[in-house]
Amino acid sequence: MPISTSGPSYRIAYFCPSASLPSLLDLQWAEAVIQKHDTDVINGPLHTVYYLSVDLYPAVLAYIKDDHIQELLKAHIAMAAPSIELQREIYEHAPLFAQYKTRGNAIVQDQAELKELFHCLWNQVKQSSAQASHAEKRHLVQQLGIRQKIGSILDNINSAASFQEAARTVLDQFGFHLILRQRLHSSRQKQDFPGEEKYHDFHKGYLLVEEIFEDTPAEVIRCTPEEGYMDINPSESAVIVSGNLHAYRIELVVVCNVPKNSNYTAPLFEWLTEVVHTACYNWRNPTHPGQMVQIGLNMGARHARVLGWAKSFSRNLTENQKFQQDVDLLGSMSLLWATVKSHIPQDITGKVQEKLDAGFPSMATRNIPEGCGFDITISGHRYAFSEAARAPPEGYATAGYQAHSHTDLCSLKWAFSWTVGRTGQESSPFASHKNGANFADLPLKVVVKNAVGTLLAFQPEELHGTTEKRGVINYQLSLTSTQRVAEAYVELESSGAGIAFAADMDDHKYE
């Protein structure tokens, strides 16, 4: 009788008498048990438990469902004592057999021929495996810069004798241009913030534009230098602060060219763009221009008040396809979080990590249980960080997304986005190839000119949006923390339920 289990490293398990060889038939039974979400684990002196690595699950199922293998399995069932030849024929073309993990007795004991076959398969898999070694993963981590810690930057700014001194320190020590820019309050807030020189009259729901065309609507928000906006160019990393000497506040952080150029950069962005494109094509879309999908915790419809893992697939995909897309998108989001912690000042990231350390869950899906570990793929080479911390639980992938002026009610002050692909600039009608599909913080009057590798930390509760795209398409990954999900989780936890959380374990887990 088969069983199933879940955990950070394994998807399914089954057991059989310790003196016999595990059969792919057991995997077929185990698949049925998985669908019932059976999580009982049985161990005993007469049984050996075998585990199948989570990333091998789709390929094994495809092998089991092959018509020829199905006929052999039926013959296996019909025979009281299946012959060695029949068992060999079942295993002979199963390239994943050699990667079974064992607990207890050895897989093969007295059957010399099958033992020899096992070792042949094992060597074949090792030679053809696309999984990166420990040394390769360490080199990748070094090249991507995801082990560095940027530390606190605000203390350096506020301890300086002048803003000019602070600007020199920030540029020399952190590589950021420090920009002083006051955030405008709405004219509707004059009573709360009296005596200010300027207020803004922006409203939600307006199209943001950088250029005017014949078909441009009359009611738009012009985000241009003529209207007082500052452009942050694609080659510029900047920290924008407001306030006064010794009392500055960080308003926006822009990091360009993340990660720095290496042999990994182009193939990494190619894979990330494909992940976003595939997810946005196969998953449900919102009502905004472009495509957006969510991964992780979700409250569902506003009237439902049900907290769970987002189910956003719109196409009829197989379970294997859904599983693999979840693996890729979860890996992309977790890489984004590792990148954020390595390139955004700890003044910002520390608050998010504190929430995770206090028990807030890390990212999971309906197909991948809570825990740690994620995979990414570069040039067909899979890098499995099985014990690294995952991203916070709410992520979005967007392709060609364009958002009018809006705010997002969030439980944390900061959200993060990373542009992993950008196309259409050359064929767009804009006078400047830098225009189109750019982030705009309206009360700050700043436009971030987007490019591949632009990493952004922004405040979602401030009025913001994306400028008109007109053919320019960004592929982006984003992390946020909506108020509805946070409140629902607190309510869930207070009732005695809980979800596994992820403390910051990255100091030693990228191997």
Side-chain angles (χ1 to χ4, degrees):
M1 177 180 177
I3 59 172
S4 69
T5 185
S6 63
S9 301
Y10 302 101
R11 168 78 174 189
I12 65 174
Y14 60 94
F15 73 93
C16 60
S18 59
S20 66
L21 190 67
S23 164
L24 287 177
L25 184 61
D26 294 312
L27 289 178
Q28 187 181 37
W29 292 338
E31 179 194 6
V33 176
I34 289 170
Q35 301 306 319
K36 298 177 183 177
H37 304 288
D38 186 352
T39 57
D40 293 332
V41 178
I42 302 175
N43 269 303
L46 299 179
H47 296 90
T48 300
V49 180
Y50 296 86
Y51 294 81
L52 180 65
S53 298
V54 61
D55 53 287
L56 305 181
Y57 178 64
V60 169
L61 291 187
Y63 181 80
I64 291 171
K65 293 176 181 178
D66 178 83
D67 291 341
H68 178 62
I69 297 301
Q70 286 288 310
E71 291 299 318
L72 294 177
L73 290 172
K74 291 175 183 177
H76 192 290
I77 295 172
M79 299 176 66
S83 66
I84 295 294
E85 289 74 16
L86 176 59
Q87 293 188 54
R88 181 188 293 115
E89 190 171 358
I90 292 175
Y91 296 131
E92 192 169 11
H93 299 292
L96 303 178
F97 170 67
Q99 292 197 20
Y100 290 150
K101 312 288 184 181
T102 64
R103 301 285 175 87
N105 296 333
I107 285 183
V108 181
Q109 293 186 336
D110 299 325
Q111 303 176 47
E113 290 180 282
L114 287 178
K115 186 174 183 179
E116 182 179 354
L117 174 61
F118 168 80
H119 286 297
C120 289
L121 285 170
W122 175 249
N123 290 330
Q124 177 188 358
V125 169
K126 284 202 300 184
Q127 292 171 6
S128 62
S129 174
Q131 182 168 334
S133 66
H134 290 302
E136 289 172 320
K137 286 188 284 187
R138 284 193 294 269
H139 187 255
L140 173 67
V141 167
Q142 180 184 20
Q143 292 297 305
L144 298 185
I146 55 176
R147 248 185 179 164
Q148 64 189 29
K149 297 291 183 182
I150 201 168
S152 173
I153 196 172
L154 196 56
D155 289 343
N156 288 272
I157 297 172
N158 284 329
S159 63
S162 66
F163 181 80
Q164 290 73 19
E165 179 184 319
R168 288 193 297 270
T169 299
V170 169
L171 183 60
D172 292 343
Q173 294 188 14
F174 301 96
F176 290 105
H177 294 279
L178 187 63
I179 299 171
L180 178 60
R181 196 165 180 84
Q182 304 301 338
R183 182 177 292 280
L184 301 179
H185 292 102
S186 169
S187 58
R188 300 181 296 279
Q189 297 176 295
K190 284 185 178 181
Q191 291 184 345
D192 298 326
F193 301 95
E196 296 190 1
E197 293 183 10
K198 294 181 180 180
Y199 298 89
H200 75 77
D201 290 311
F202 302 132
H203 296 273
K204 297 178 183 178
Y206 281 80
L207 176 67
L208 312 184
V209 301
E210 295 173 89
E211 295 183 26
I212 301 297
F213 296 89
E214 290 184 0
D215 59 349
T216 299
E219 297 292 329
V220 297
I221 298 177
R222 298 190 183 191
C223 303
T224 64
E226 292 75 18
E227 297 294 329
Y229 281 79
M230 169 183 283
D231 290 342
I232 305 297
N233 289 312
S235 60
E236 185 177 4
S237 293
V239 172
I240 300 179
V241 297
S242 64
N244 302 295
L245 187 63
H246 306 313
Y248 295 113
R249 301 177 300 276
I250 298 177
E251 298 288 354
L252 184 69
V253 178
V254 183
V255 193
C256 67
N257 301 321
V258 179
K260 300 300 181 185
N261 189 45
S262 71
N263 291 335
Y264 297 105
T265 308
L268 172 63
F269 282 133
E270 182 179 350
W271 178 73
L272 290 170
T273 299
E274 180 61 27
V275 170
V276 173
H277 177 84
T278 300
C280 289
Y281 180 68
N282 287 333
W283 294 27
R284 296 172 185 162
N285 302 325
T287 56
H288 304 280
Q291 297 171 312
M292 171 191 281
V293 298
Q294 183 179 4
I295 182 172
L297 279 181
N298 176 263
M299 281 296 295
R302 290 190 174 272
H303 65 276
R305 288 190 57 77
V306 176
L307 178 67
W309 301 111
K311 184 179 181 181
S312 301
F313 294 101
S314 61
R315 301 182 68 201
N316 293 324
L317 304 177
T318 67
E319 292 303 314
N320 294 348
Q321 289 172 323
K322 292 178 182 179
F323 173 77
Q324 189 56 52
Q325 287 187 24
D326 277 359
V327 168
D328 290 343
L329 192 53
L330 186 147
S332 300
M333 292 294 178
S334 297
L335 178 62
L336 166 57
W337 177 233
T339 302
V340 165
K341 289 189 292 182
S342 301
H343 293 82
I344 299 295
Q346 194 173 356
D347 312 84
I348 294 172
T349 61
K351 297 297 182 182
V352 183
Q353 189 60 54
E354 284 176 11
K355 191 168 185 177
L356 292 172
D357 292 343
F360 206 63
S362 60
M363 186 170 286
T365 74
R366 294 195 179 191
N367 297 303
I368 302 175
E370 302 93 335
C372 57
F374 64 90
D375 293 4
I376 62 173
T377 302
I378 301 177
S379 299
H381 221 51
R382 187 173 65 86
Y383 295 80
F385 302 104
S386 59
E387 297 182 10
R390 291 182 189 169
E394 293 181 77
Y396 293 87
T398 57
Y401 190 64
Q402 175 184 303
H404 289 194
S405 55
H406 70 286
T407 60
D408 301 300
L409 188 60
C410 291
S411 61
L412 291 172
K413 183 178 181 180
W414 295 96
F416 311 97
S417 72
W418 189 23
T419 301
V420 299
R422 182 172 167 89
T423 63
Q425 307 96 296
E426 302 303 326
S427 58
S428 73
F430 292 114
S432 170
H433 69 276
K434 297 179 184 178
N435 289 348
N438 290 319
F439 174 85
D441 184 317
L442 300 180
L444 203 57
K445 285 203 165 185
V446 168
V447 174
V448 178
K449 299 294 187 179
N450 226 328
V452 174
T454 298
L455 181 65
L456 190 65
F458 65 98
Q459 300 178 58
E461 291 194 333
E462 297 290 349
L463 199 63
H464 65 282
T466 311
T467 61
E468 186 181 27
K469 58 181 182 178
R470 289 191 178 264
V472 178
I473 297 177
N474 292 325
Y475 293 89
Q476 292 179 310
L477 299 166
S478 302
L479 294 170
T480 188
S481 53
T482 58
Q483 186 68 38
R484 294 178 69 228
V485 166
E487 291 176 349
Y489 178 76
V490 171
E491 183 178 336
L492 176 70
E493 193 175 44
S494 64
S495 68
I499 303 177
F501 65 93
D504 191 353
M505 303 175 292
D506 293 344
D507 288 342
H508 59 287
K509 299 303 182 183
Y510 288 106
E511 296 183 354

